[in-house]
Amino acid sequence: MPVPYGYSDLTASWECPRRWAYSQQFRPVKLDGALLRGAFTHKMLAAFWARINPYDTLLEATAEERRGLEILGPDGYQAQVGVIEKAAREAREMFGRYQAFIAQQADHFNPLTIEKTITTKVAGVTVRGTPDMIGVQSFLTGQHLAVVEWKTSGNPSIESLNHTGQVDYYSYLLRQRTEGQYTASFILIDIITPDLVTRVMRPPRFDRGEYLAQQLVRLQDITQEVALEHPRPSWRCARCPFLRPCQLREDGADDQEYLLQYYFGTDKGEGNLGEADGDQQ
């Protein structure tokens, strides 16, 4: 049986099927500072709401990243460890800004789940999603169920966030999984950058969530071989971490040998592309 896919698989496959296929089995050796900063910040936020020391969590995360560099040898380690240290410093600053933002909010939020994956069946196919948090927001008018998402790896516009429908998809999964027993009244998206925190709050669009779930059903039929043979060239290719193996494949050379030599492997199985990690931040 194919493993269930999530929102990040869908958007990645739309952007470029070949890059999506590569990323299921390999990850670049060179660290992306912005993505790492976002990942560290995200871990601190999850720990904060779970009442775990976020700074201890950050120390554990940075130690794990350093251990991953040991395979590169002394020179490779020294070349990359600075990226980890810089990302950790910036994550502390972003988390501090978020703490100050939350302290100013008059409304109380009570988390029910943190990073808990929701799976449900759509047209007989299992799909999945991992909202950052689900909880109850208390207003003067009463309590309302909310699905929460943190954006920590960039500064997307509110318009683009509304267009993607990621949190609408999570809200739809929650309603379907619980057969309507838990239906979100609204969604919260906190955009956290080194400069400020912006909150987006609106009702979920269940029709948009359903549409995305249906697209994920179709994704189950795409095999590794099919995805690799359908690149989608664009201006983003210049920044793609898989640009070189992609060029080799286009020239008829052995891209797999290059990937095995210069990229880390993942633990995401083969066949239909393997199980995805938590949805992208």
Side-chain angles (χ1 to χ4, degrees):
M1 288 291 292
V3 296
Y5 287 131
Y7 177 85
S8 60
D9 290 292
L10 183 62
T11 55
S13 68
W14 281 348
E15 187 172 298
C16 179
R18 178 176 289 173
R19 175 175 176 173
W20 175 53
Y22 280 149
S23 68
Q24 296 302 300
Q25 292 186 309
F26 300 96
R27 65 182 180 90
V29 170
K30 185 176 181 180
L31 297 173
D32 185 312
L35 289 179
L36 192 58
R37 178 192 67 200
F40 285 162
T41 306
H42 198 275
K43 288 178 182 294
M44 294 184 78
L45 297 176
F48 169 75
W49 285 108
R51 300 183 183 277
I52 299 171
N53 189 315
Y55 296 99
D56 288 346
T57 299
L58 178 61
L59 287 174
E60 293 171 4
T62 55
E64 182 179 355
E65 288 293 334
R66 289 191 185 96
R67 287 193 294 271
L69 294 179
E70 291 175 357
I71 193 175
L72 302 178
D75 292 341
Y77 181 92
Q78 290 301 323
Q80 293 285 293
V81 72
V83 178
I84 297 174
E85 293 171 351
K86 183 175 184 291
R89 289 195 302 271
E90 293 174 344
R92 290 189 195 95
E93 295 173 2
M94 289 172 63
F95 174 71
R97 192 173 297 279
Y98 178 81
Q99 268 191 306
F101 172 81
I102 292 298
Q104 295 171 358
Q105 303 303 304
D107 303 317
H108 176 70
F109 187 85
N110 179 35
L112 300 178
T113 68
I114 301 170
E115 297 182 325
K116 182 176 178 62
T117 297
I118 304 170
T119 59
T120 191
K121 287 189 178 295
V122 176
V125 174
T126 300
V127 294
R128 66 188 285 279
T130 309
D132 290 331
M133 189 161 58
I134 298 172
V136 175
Q137 183 83 21
S138 299
F139 296 104
L140 294 176
T141 56
Q143 296 183 329
H144 299 274
L145 190 67
V147 178
V148 181
E149 181 72 12
W150 306 310
K151 292 299 176 186
T152 59
S153 295
N155 189 14
S157 67
I158 294 175
E159 292 78 10
S160 67
L161 286 175
N162 285 332
H163 176 71
T164 62
Q166 180 179 6
V167 194
D168 300 304
Y169 168 70
Y170 297 151
S171 301
Y172 171 77
L173 291 187
L174 176 64
R175 188 180 70 172
Q176 293 299 110
R177 176 69 179 182
T178 64
E179 298 181 342
Q181 183 177 358
Y182 291 94
T183 300
S185 300
F186 59 91
I187 62 176
L188 289 175
I189 305 175
D190 287 335
I191 308 168
I192 305 146
T193 72
D195 301 315
L196 77 162
V197 178
T198 304
R199 170 163 287 183
V200 178
M201 184 170 67
R202 63 169 174 81
R205 300 170 300 177
F206 293 108
D207 56 341
R208 176 66 171 170
E210 182 179 14
Y211 167 77
L212 293 170
Q214 291 170 348
Q215 297 305 305
L216 275 167
V217 170
R218 298 179 182 180
L219 196 61
Q220 300 285 339
D221 295 328
I222 299 180
T223 64
Q224 177 91 18
E225 292 74 20
V226 169
L228 286 172
E229 295 309 318
H230 289 80
R232 192 160 295 160
S234 74
W235 61 269
R236 295 186 180 91
C237 291
R239 297 182 298 175
C240 178
F242 295 101
L243 177 59
R244 183 56 184 153
C246 184
Q247 291 172 331
L248 289 172
R249 193 176 187 89
E250 287 299 295
D251 293 338
D254 191 344
D255 59 336
Q256 293 297 309
E257 182 179 352
Y258 185 89
L259 287 161
L260 289 170
Q261 183 174 357
Y262 294 106
Y263 290 73
F264 288 132
T266 71
D267 56 358
K268 299 180 181 179
E270 299 178 354
N272 73 315
L273 297 186
E275 185 170 7
D277 291 333
D279 297 323
Q280 290 177 346
Q281 303 309 316

